[in-house]
């Protein structure tokens, strides 16, 4: 009653993919994750993160950073300019299936005119977020965090808990990474 869960389809049912987004072989599975509904406090929202990409990379220092070994930051932008320093969400090198529902980050909403972005960077790297349409100066991906227009419950409004699922292909691929975020919101 009043609980929120994220049901996530993870992996591939048709075998490997060229960029290694799904690891190897047939490994499709469905998992359910509880979204913590603890009150984040007055004027704040709670953010929780899951890495649902199976990409395992090609080894440290010999290719693109593994998407299964990433750090996550939150960055506020006013238009295309970062506002302040990125907020560390997870510097443990989030791996496939890694989720921290019991230690959600309680944060204040961005100031008027600002929008929050999720910065995905290689583990141990220095975040250098870039706005939409801009190329970052280091291996990273900057994704907008905003509720889907067809899901008014997924929100970054105060008093909400938001579960962010990060999935897609590796960072720094020759083509544009197909990294995605999925928001699940609840009160």
């Amino acid at each position: 009653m009043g609980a929120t869960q994220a049901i996530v389809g993870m992996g591939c049912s048709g075998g490997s993919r060229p960029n290694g987004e799904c690891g190897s072989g047939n490994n499709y599975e469905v998992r359910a994750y509880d979204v913590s509904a603890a009150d984040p406090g007055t004027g704040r929202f709670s953010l929780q993160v899951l890495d649902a990409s199976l990409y395992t990379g090609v080894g440290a220092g010999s290719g693109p950073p593994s998407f299964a070994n990433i750090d996550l930051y939150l960055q506020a932008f006013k238009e295309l300019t970062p506002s302040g320093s990125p907020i560390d969400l997870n510097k443990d090198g989030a791996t496939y299936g890694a989720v921290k529902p019991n230690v959600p980050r309680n944060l204040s909403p961005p100031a008027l005119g600002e929008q929050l972005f999720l910065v995905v960077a290689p583990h141990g790297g220095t975040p250098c977020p870039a706005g939409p349409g801009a190329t970052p100066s280091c291996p990273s991906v900057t994704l907008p965090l905003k509720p889907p227009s067809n899901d008014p419950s997924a929100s970054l409004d105060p008093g909400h808990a938001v579960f962010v699922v990060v999935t897609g292909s590796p960072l720094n691929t020759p083509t544009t990474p197909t990294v995605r975020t999925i928001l699940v919101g609840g009160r």
Side-chain angles (χ1 to χ4, degrees), residues 47 144-148 151 154-156 162-165 181-185:
L47 186 69
L145 282 188
K146 57 185 179 181
D151 184 4
S155 174
L156 295 179
V162 180
F163 187 85
V164 180
V165 180
T181 58
I182 304 166
L183 299 187
V184 178

Side-chain angles (χ1 to χ4, degrees), residues 14-30:
S16 303
R17 298 293 188 271
N19 279 338
E21 299 99 312
C22 298
S24 60
N26 297 318
N27 49 31
Y28 185 77
E29 59 183 314
V30 177

Side-chain angles (χ1 to χ4, degrees), residues 6-180:
I7 310 298
V8 185
M10 310 168 81
C12 293
S13 58
S16 303
R17 298 293 188 271
N19 279 338
E21 299 99 312
C22 298
S24 60
N26 297 318
N27 49 31
Y28 185 77
E29 59 183 314
V30 177
R31 295 186 186 182
Y33 293 92
D34 289 329
V35 179
S36 174
D39 185 354
T42 304
R44 295 167 76 79
F45 68 95
S46 175
L47 186 69
Q48 301 153 78
V49 178
L50 162 71
D51 177 2
S53 173
L54 273 174
Y55 178 69
T56 55
V58 293
S62 61
S66 170
F67 199 65
N69 190 17
I70 57 174
D71 294 335
L72 302 170
Y73 300 86
L74 195 67
Q75 174 70 67
F77 281 82
K78 190 166 186 178
E79 296 180 352
L80 299 183
T81 305
S83 300
S85 299
I87 300 170
D88 170 26
L89 295 177
N90 179 291
K91 287 186 67 175
D92 296 330
T95 58
Y96 164 70
V99 61
K100 300 189 177 294
N102 297 320
V103 286
R105 293 295 301 271
N106 295 329
L107 304 162
S108 299
L112 186 65
E114 292 183 337
Q115 184 180 341
L116 291 176
F117 286 75
L118 183 69
V119 181
V120 183
H123 180 49
T126 301
C128 57
T135 302
S137 58
C138 69
S140 62
V141 176
T142 307
L143 298 159
L145 282 188
K146 57 185 179 181
S149 58
N150 62 348
D151 184 4
S153 68
S155 174
L156 295 179
D157 293 334
H160 272 79
V162 180
F163 187 85
V164 180
V165 180
V166 181
T167 184
S169 65
L171 303 175
N172 253 16
T173 52
T175 57
T176 302
T178 57
V179 183
R180 296 285 184 270

